[in-house]
Amino acid sequence: QVNRYVYGCEKARSEPIKADRCVAYLYSCIFDSSNSETQGGGAIFLSPGLSSNTNNPTPEGDCVIHNCTFNKCVGSSGGAIYLETQDSNRLTDIVNCTFTNNQATNEAGIQGGGALFIHATYVIIKNCTFIDNEAKAKGQEIYFYIFETDIDTEYPLLITNCTVFQNKVSSKSALIYLE
């Protein structure tokens, strides 16, 4: 039996978490100088997959990342977090997190997200702070590409009460890139 849940409470990490086909519950974790330039997400690669997949289902439930700090993490897409889910009934909740000096190194121009790379249906980002994150491609802070099925998705990305500080001037891309 494979453990398909990733839990983390009050953990300090300098190596990335690869949560492929998992549901993540992360609380009060600190990711400092975590590096994963060969894949997305310098600190967290999160790809829950489909809970409806009968051959290899992932657990049902939402992904939760609360009160975490991401500092100087480097990933190809999503300097801190790479999130990709094709499950239209799965919510990812990112709350009270701080993203500082993270970098997405992919220069191909198709993916970016200095702090967050998101390809999902429903995501809430609330009470977070973004400071000087950088992407070589699109979305200096956040890159969001909606995963949509034949259902009309209303309010796929909700960003509320967040603060963005960008002291580096870049003409490469907007702070938040929506595709």
Side-chain angles (χ1 to χ4, degrees), residues 99-102 114-115 130-135 140-141 165-166:
F99 300 88
T100 308
N101 293 314
N102 300 291
F130 297 87
I131 304 168
D132 289 336
N133 298 290
E134 179 183 3
Q140 295 302 301
E141 302 293 338
F165 296 101
Q166 187 61 259

Side-chain angles (χ1 to χ4, degrees), residues 6-178:
V6 176
Y7 298 95
C9 297
E10 298 179 8
K11 302 279 183 188
R13 295 189 56 94
S14 60
E15 294 185 23
I17 291 175
K18 184 175 182 192
D20 192 14
R21 307 197 58 73
C22 297
V23 173
Y25 304 100
L26 301 169
Y27 299 92
S28 302
C29 296
I30 298 170
F31 296 88
D32 192 30
S33 301
S34 182
N35 188 326
S36 179
E37 287 190 65
T38 58
Q39 71 176 23
I44 299 170
F45 175 87
L46 181 57
S47 182
L50 289 169
S51 58
S52 61
N53 182 340
T54 55
N55 293 332
N56 195 8
T58 57
E60 291 185 11
D62 299 330
C63 295
V64 177
I65 303 170
H66 285 208
N67 301 315
C68 293
T69 301
F70 301 86
N71 184 42
K72 297 180 183 173
C73 298
V74 179
S76 62
S77 295
I81 299 173
Y82 178 98
L83 167 66
E84 182 171 19
T85 180
Q86 299 173 1
D87 210 335
S88 61
N89 61 358
R90 188 180 311 275
L91 171 70
T92 300
D93 203 18
I94 303 171
V95 179
N96 294 329
C97 292
T98 302
F99 300 88
T100 308
N101 293 314
N102 300 291
Q103 184 181 39
T105 59
N106 186 343
E107 295 186 65
I110 39 177
Q111 299 175 350
L116 302 172
F117 170 88
I118 302 167
H119 183 203
T121 307
Y122 293 108
V123 178
I124 294 174
I125 303 169
K126 184 176 178 182
N127 298 332
C128 292
T129 303
F130 297 87
I131 304 168
D132 289 336
N133 298 290
E134 179 183 3
K136 300 269 185 200
K138 301 173 182 175
Q140 295 302 301
E141 302 293 338
I142 300 169
Y143 175 93
F144 179 78
Y145 177 46
I146 186 170
F147 177 81
E148 224 174 351
T149 57
D150 54 354
I151 304 168
D152 184 25
T153 306
E154 194 171 343
Y155 309 115
L157 174 66
L158 177 61
I159 301 173
T160 181
N161 202 33
C162 292
T163 305
V164 176
F165 296 101
Q166 187 61 259
N167 294 316
K168 302 172 189 175
V169 177
S170 174
S171 61
K172 295 178 187 174
S173 178
L175 294 175
I176 299 171
Y177 189 90
L178 306 174

